[in-house]
Amino acid sequence: MRLLLLAPPGAGKGTQGERLATRYGVRHIAAGDLLRAEAQADTPADRQIAAYQARGDLVPDQIVLDALTPVVVAAAAHGGYILDGFPRTLPQAEAAAELAARLGVTLDAAIYLYAPDEVLTRRLLDRAGQGGRADDVADVIQHRLQVFAETTGPLVPYYTQRGILVAVDADQPPDSVTADIQAGLSGLGLTCPDGHEGGTRA
Ligand code: AMP
């Protein structure tokens, strides 16, 4: 199974990504986590990644591709992946499509989780109150939502045109979001490894 999660900050893509990865027995590849791990190292390049993340700006495409490509290649050889937060720009989407073609695989679905900005902001501020991330502060949250709308939003029509977009209302309890994702995958003709609906394309 090869899926990607396209969602603004606070929509729950981490939670849903982990659930999908467990269900399908594939790797959950969270771009933000990988880049945060890389940013821990003490080189000028790594400090640059940390600075982009702290501001809520996107890390440049080439840095993201260098970090993600080996992980995606390894996961593709082991049954697939759930991409969480990658691609986030049109050039990244095009690079991801070229990589998949080189590997002889195709993306099964792109899951778009949407919710109103007020809901997303409230969730992220709640997360901040529970010892959340350094970028969960009001002005950076605002900027991240704007970056999503302007730069990542165009990926919604991109994957719609490819006939693989599953749009799900994320302003619901996590179990309901998971159920709607499964229903959307079934609608694309994807059936589960255990024979139920919602897995690998038949
Ligand atoms: P996330 O954990 O998905 O909320 O991502 C946190 C931050 O990591 C983002 O605000 C960006 O700075 C960076 N980031 C994550 N994924 C990408 C990506 N695909 N392209 C560029 N920057 C990214």
Side-chain angles (χ1 to χ4, degrees):
M1 177 59 101
R2 288 169 300 274
L3 301 176
L4 71 82
L5 283 157
L6 190 61
K13 63 186 165 47
T15 303
Q16 298 300 329
E18 278 168 24
R19 289 183 178 195
L20 287 163
T22 302
R23 183 174 181 108
Y24 297 116
V26 295
R27 174 139 186 215
H28 173 216
I29 301 176
D33 290 349
L34 279 176
L35 292 167
R36 258 186 299 280
E38 200 148 307
Q40 300 296 314
D42 201 20
T43 69
D46 296 323
R47 281 196 292 274
Q48 225 194 339
I49 295 178
Y52 283 109
Q53 290 193 307
R55 289 196 301 269
D57 282 328
L58 292 182
V59 175
D61 290 337
Q62 197 54 54
I63 296 177
V64 174
L65 291 169
D66 288 347
L68 271 284
T69 300
V71 183
V72 173
V73 169
H78 290 91
Y81 40 73
I82 311 294
L83 295 178
D84 160 353
F86 171 79
R88 251 166 153 119
T89 66
L90 275 173
Q92 287 180 20
E94 282 156 5
E98 277 166 29
L99 175 62
R102 259 202 329 271
L103 296 171
V105 298
T106 51
L107 191 64
D108 291 306
I111 299 161
Y112 171 43
L113 303 178
Y114 60 89
D117 279 4
E118 312 82 73
V119 171
L120 300 169
T121 303
R122 198 181 57 235
R123 284 187 187 169
L124 291 167
L125 289 174
D126 285 351
R127 182 167 84 181
Q130 295 156 16
R133 291 173 7 192
D135 56 350
D136 286 343
V137 290
D139 55 339
V140 180
I141 290 171
Q142 194 57 39
H143 183 57
R144 286 157 63 204
L145 289 171
Q146 193 184 344
V147 167
F148 179 85
E150 288 171 4
T151 312
T152 310
L155 296 187
V156 173
Y158 176 90
Y159 288 112
T160 302
Q161 277 160 19
R162 279 155 186 75
I164 58 166
L165 193 88
V166 171
V168 171
D169 179 2
D171 187 11
Q172 316 183 68
D175 287 350
S176 305
V177 175
T178 305
D180 283 359
I181 291 173
Q182 295 302 335
L185 293 176
S186 302
L188 282 184
L190 296 161
T191 52
C192 243
D194 59 10
H196 296 104
E197 292 186 331
T200 305
R201 199 184 291 275

